[in-house]
Amino acid sequence: MEDEGAEPGGNGGGGGGRPLGALCCRELRLLEFPDRYVVRSADPDAPDHAFSVGRSDGLIEPLFEDSISLTPKVSTIYGVVGIIKLPAGTYVLLITSREEVGSCLGFSIFHVTSMRFLSCNGSLKHSKSQEKRDEAYFMSLLRTLESTPGLYYSYERDLTLNLQRTCNLTEERMHKPLWKQADPRFVWNHNLMEDLIENKLDAFTIPVIQGNILKFVVVLHKRKMPKNTHSICLLFLFLWMSFQCIFSYVNSNVTSCFHDQWIKLSVCTVHLKRFTCQNYIDLKKVQSSSRYRTRMWRRGANLEGSTANFIETEQILEFEGYRSSFIQIRGSIPLLWEQIVDLSYKPRLNIINHDETPKVVERHFRDLIQRYGETVAVDLTDKEGDEGRLSDAFAAEMEKLPYVRYVRFDFHNACGKGIFDNLQLLYDQIKENVENQGYLLINTDGEILIQQNGIVRVNCIDCLDRTNVTQSYVARKLLNLLLQQVGAFSSNECISMYTDIYEKFKNLWAEHGDEISLEYAGTHALKGDLVRYGKQTVSGIIKDGISALTRYYLNNFQDGIRQDALDLISGRYTVSRSRPPFQLNRFESSSALLFVNHTLSLIFMQYLPVASALIVGGLTMTTLTLNQGGNSTHVVSSVLLAGLSAGVVPLVKANWKQFCSRPRLCGLL
């Protein structure tokens, strides 16, 4: 294993001592007293840090002297994720167990394996019954957050920046506290850290990212070129997002030396015969936290121009000391639109007429240009139906922005038979833009030779399935260019000529799509076969059908509560004692109706299986009865069963507001 401490661009900082400005306590002790909790550092590099939280009032106080006289209950914890204040109390989220999964530039990366909320709500016992019920709902959301999967963090290293931004960091910023180095848009616990920051508890303020780690190792040996023998190691698909950042983890060990080796910017040394290779590909997905979301309850853009499911994906290649990065982005169509669940399989799309719409679109693309440079917007939606109306509205707004190139490509029409390679038609249209925008390339001396000066923004409706297929295609084209430029390939070679490396590359992107989809829609991505095999298979069609049905269930009966949890942790919902905790939306016109609807929703959800059984069972029995013959008894039975089914269907449809799970804390925009 080579030294992993070299900073991209030549800056040191790995493997050696810990940067003092970025110091966070690596191990802590939780002391539980009758009147307060005390969190004290057990890190030998930072032994004098401590703070307390009052158990009755949630008061936070830094501690500078050891004045403990009682003998408390003591346990070991590994970090403070943050603090959230609810109407009846304060709650502190702690990391109670962790697993070291690897290193980033020589600094350890940890996976959160369990968390716990400390309740500082002594005043709750004096609250009114309605306040207790409200607090109970909030606490159920906190319990959901306790079991959040895939959270990762480092005590010493910022994990939120892409490689190009990392290379351009100033020395001054590198020595600031870790939370000041991090990009707040991409920090899962950004809102939860505010009280720690306000009390100057920098040593306890750890930016956390949600995700999983995807790791693949593939070795390509070109035996037919003895003078130019190269070994290419494609390592890691590192997916990264902000609120629910995803790092998916899959091992495909070619040799034992790669087992459980980690991610992102760490360097893996592979010895093949007499050739030493330090290479990997790293895909980093970063999700903006401006529109924390579930699939149906956050569509389009808000008035500030931030879109739902906005994700930055970075593909990093390291080859023989060279580092390169290529970035793509995806995000919901930046109009004001919605698709409210109503128990139908595909709810109608509704474009919201608003005077601010042109400004919303302009704000969105101005921000992209400021951050990434020249922008090409690729719209993959259908040209017909509801999608066609939305796409037409998008195209009309884009005509007002001459500084952004808009490319409309009907994915379903072009690739309707599952022919992945038809995406070449799209790539031919944007090839010049993609290649002119370039990519980041750093040589073996740490010098930046090229920087990426533009971006391709891809969208469909969900920005999941079609988008991932398209981005994987563009990523493959750019990977070929990179490998040619660094000398891994000749000018007429590409990764599709080498089955092993190509299959692993496609699997990485398929896993990438699955992880994004799991976070946003709750299921694996559809059309994964197009990425893995270039066409759809029978097993893939069956899998897509199961995923589609699962999405339907989650969208209609689970995502409302999940959206509330996201709005609470993100700070989008502001807790206040001076107003009712649950907001009215257009489905509810009064507080009395809100209470009735909530009660009815619980009742209807209990009887949903019964209603479903009546519908399905009634139709089934009707069919069987009619098939048995035509006597009068059978005819009467079939009519009754059919009538029962027909009566239940409109009842369920008419009461979709009670059947469907919908957010209660915030409105749609």
Side-chain angles (χ1 to χ4, degrees):
M1 184 67 64
E2 295 290 325
D3 177 21
E4 299 177 341
E7 178 83 353
N11 295 324
R18 302 171 69 194
L20 294 179
L23 187 66
C24 285
C25 301
R26 292 172 292 190
E27 187 172 316
L28 307 169
R29 297 286 184 266
L30 172 64
L31 287 68
E32 301 183 39
F33 295 94
D35 61 335
R36 59 177 175 159
Y37 296 106
V38 172
V39 177
R40 183 176 297 282
S41 173
D43 186 337
D45 291 340
D48 300 324
H49 296 280
F51 72 95
S52 67
V53 185
R55 299 184 71 154
S56 61
D57 56 10
L59 180 64
I60 302 169
E61 293 183 312
L63 299 179
F64 302 103
E65 296 181 1
D66 191 350
S67 57
I68 297 174
S69 56
L70 300 176
T71 302
K73 176 183 176 182
V74 180
S75 56
T76 298
I77 60 175
Y78 300 97
V80 181
V81 177
I83 298 169
I84 187 167
K85 294 181 178 179
L86 299 180
T90 297
Y91 300 83
V92 184
L93 183 57
L94 305 176
I95 299 170
T96 53
S97 66
R98 69 185 184 188
E99 177 187 8
E100 185 173 356
V101 293
S103 61
C104 173
L105 294 177
F107 297 114
S108 296
I109 305 297
F110 295 92
H111 170 222
V112 178
T113 53
S114 67
M115 296 189 295
R116 169 192 170 195
F117 268 105
L118 297 180
S119 299
C120 305
N121 58 358
S123 61
L124 182 60
K125 58 186 178 183
H126 304 297
S127 300
K128 299 178 181 178
S129 58
Q130 182 59 50
E131 292 173 339
K132 290 180 179 179
R133 287 195 293 269
D134 293 342
E135 194 78 2
Y137 181 73
F138 284 126
M139 292 175 69
S140 71
L141 300 182
L142 297 185
R143 285 191 292 273
T144 299
L145 297 173
E146 278 184 337
S147 58
T148 302
L151 298 181
Y152 290 82
Y153 66 97
S154 171
Y155 296 108
E156 302 130 324
R157 196 76 195 177
D158 173 28
L159 302 176
T160 63
L161 304 182
N162 60 50
L163 183 57
Q164 187 158 308
R165 291 186 65 189
T166 300
C167 291
N168 293 319
L169 282 181
T170 63
E171 190 69 22
E172 179 183 1
R173 181 168 177 176
M174 292 291 291
H175 285 82
K176 288 184 177 180
L178 196 59
W179 67 267
K180 286 188 176 181
Q181 296 182 35
D183 187 332
R185 298 175 302 152
F186 305 139
V187 178
W188 182 80
N189 60 329
H190 174 62
N191 183 63
L192 299 178
M193 296 191 302
E194 289 184 358
D195 283 297
L196 295 173
I197 294 171
E198 183 178 339
N199 286 276
K200 303 187 187 313
L201 298 171
D202 294 344
F204 299 98
T205 309
I206 304 173
V208 175
I209 298 172
Q210 184 185 25
N212 268 305
I213 303 165
L214 273 175
K215 173 180 166 183
F216 277 97
V217 176
V218 180
V219 177
L220 172 64
H221 191 86
K222 296 165 64 175
R223 293 187 176 89
K224 294 183 180 180
M225 298 179 64
K227 292 184 179 180
N228 247 337
T229 299
H230 297 291
S231 302
I232 299 170
C233 170
L234 295 187
L235 241 203
F236 332 130
L237 175 58
F238 178 61
L239 313 179
W240 193 6
M241 50 197 286
S242 114
F243 167 53
Q244 296 200 337
C245 317
I246 296 183
F247 303 39
S248 147
Y249 187 39
V250 177
N251 275 321
S252 178
N253 296 311
V254 177
T255 58
S256 60
C257 67
F258 292 109
H259 185 69
D260 286 338
Q261 184 60 26
W262 195 65
I263 59 175
K264 202 188 174 213
L265 300 179
S266 59
V267 180
C268 185
T269 301
V270 186
H271 295 278
L272 293 175
K273 295 188 176 179
R274 290 177 292 177
F275 187 83
T276 300
C277 174
Q278 303 175 358
N279 316 296
Y280 68 82
I281 281 186
D282 169 28
L283 262 180
K284 188 175 64 179
K285 179 180 84 69
V286 200
Q287 167 125 13
S288 171
S289 62
S290 300
R291 292 275 279 167
Y292 288 176
R293 77 287 180 266
T294 54
R295 179 175 175 236
M296 290 297 189
W297 291 111
R298 290 293 177 268
R299 293 294 210 185
N302 60 17
L303 294 176
E304 288 71 40
S306 298
T307 63
N309 211 23
F310 182 85
I311 293 169
E312 175 188 288
T313 300
E314 180 182 22
Q315 180 172 279
I316 298 174
L317 167 71
E318 182 167 339
F319 178 81
E320 298 181 29
Y322 284 90
R323 282 196 177 112
S324 184
S325 163
F326 173 64
I327 299 172
Q328 299 181 79
I329 57 175
R330 68 179 75 186
S332 189
I333 292 177
L335 303 177
L336 303 177
W337 62 282
E338 62 188 7
Q339 192 176 17
I340 303 302
V341 295
D342 59 1
L343 296 182
S344 61
Y345 176 72
K346 192 173 183 179
R348 295 296 304 271
L349 299 176
N350 177 42
I351 302 172
I352 301 172
N353 294 320
H354 200 290
D355 294 339
E356 288 288 305
T357 294
K359 293 182 179 179
V360 167
V361 179
E362 183 178 9
R363 287 173 190 137
H364 178 74
F365 283 99
R366 290 280 187 190
D367 181 68
L368 295 186
I369 291 171
Q370 181 180 0
R371 295 181 186 278
Y372 300 103
E374 176 193 82
T375 301
V376 176
V378 176
D379 181 10
L380 303 175
T381 52
D382 298 346
K383 292 184 178 180
E384 305 296 334
D386 279 357
E387 287 193 17
R389 290 191 302 105
L390 183 61
S391 184
D392 288 342
F394 186 24
E397 292 298 333
M398 294 306 295
E399 289 180 358
K400 304 172 186 177
L401 305 180
Y403 48 84
V404 179
R405 186 182 176 202
Y406 173 74
V407 178
R408 194 170 181 178
F409 183 80
D410 188 334
F411 182 98
H412 284 147
N413 183 55
C415 305
K417 296 181 180 180
I419 304 174
F420 185 33
D421 287 339
N422 280 352
L423 283 171
Q424 183 66 43
L425 300 173
L426 169 62
Y427 188 74
D428 288 341
Q429 297 182 58
I430 63 174
K431 177 180 178 180
E432 184 177 352
N433 294 98
V434 171
E435 294 183 1
N436 287 339
Q437 289 172 359
Y439 40 77
L440 174 72
L441 182 60
I442 306 168
N443 68 14
T444 55
D445 296 324
E447 298 173 333
I448 298 177
L449 303 179
I450 306 171
Q451 294 200 58
Q452 185 171 343
N453 56 24
I455 201 76
V456 175
R457 181 198 192 277
V458 183
N459 74 264
C460 50
I461 291 297
D462 293 326
C463 301
L464 296 177
D465 313 315
R466 288 171 280 182
T467 296
N468 200 67
V469 172
T470 303
Q471 286 195 336
S472 70
Y473 192 88
V474 175
R476 173 161 60 94
K477 294 291 188 179
L478 263 292
L479 178 59
N480 288 331
L481 291 177
L482 289 170
L483 292 173
Q484 290 168 8
Q485 179 150 359
V486 299
F489 285 165
S490 63
S491 59
N492 60 352
E493 288 181 301
C494 58
I495 64 171
S496 59
M497 298 170 63
Y498 302 94
T499 303
D500 191 26
I501 190 174
Y502 188 37
E503 292 303 313
K504 297 303 180 183
F505 174 81
K506 291 188 294 184
N507 280 329
L508 284 173
W509 269 94
E511 294 293 336
H512 177 59
D514 282 342
E515 293 300 329
I516 298 173
S517 182
L518 282 168
E519 192 281 326
Y520 187 48
T523 72
H524 289 91
L526 309 183
K527 301 181 178 66
D529 281 357
L530 286 180
V531 180
R532 288 184 172 93
Y533 312 117
K535 61 181 181 180
Q536 286 194 304
T537 64
V538 174
S539 62
I541 293 173
I542 294 173
K543 179 182 176 182
D544 285 354
I546 295 173
S547 293
L549 291 175
T550 305
R551 285 185 183 182
Y552 171 82
Y553 172 78
L554 294 174
N555 295 160
N556 282 277
F557 307 122
Q558 294 290 324
D559 282 354
I561 293 174
R562 194 159 66 100
Q563 186 63 55
D564 277 348
L566 302 185
D567 289 335
L568 181 64
I569 193 176
S570 68
R572 185 169 183 266
Y573 173 77
T574 303
V575 177
S576 173
R577 294 176 177 270
S578 61
R579 58 179 171 80
F582 305 116
Q583 302 303 299
L584 300 179
N585 53 46
R586 64 179 146 163
F587 306 125
E588 299 152 337
S589 57
S590 69
S591 58
L593 184 57
L594 176 63
F595 176 75
V596 172
N597 277 346
H598 175 55
T599 304
L600 286 175
S601 67
L602 297 177
I603 297 173
F604 273 103
M605 283 303 294
Q606 291 177 357
Y607 289 100
L608 179 62
V610 177
S612 302
L614 286 173
I615 296 171
V616 177
L619 294 174
T620 302
M621 291 301 297
T622 299
T623 303
L624 294 175
T625 301
L626 291 175
N627 288 336
Q628 288 176 2
N631 62 57
S632 58
T633 303
H634 288 163
V635 171
V636 172
S637 299
S638 65
V639 170
L640 290 175
L641 290 170
L644 179 62
S645 300
V648 173
V649 169
L651 176 65
V652 172
K653 184 70 174 177
N655 291 279
W656 68 267
K657 297 177 185 178
Q658 282 72 45
F659 278 106
C660 293
S661 171
R662 60 192 185 281
R664 302 173 61 199
L665 298 185
C666 296
L668 295 177
L669 291 179

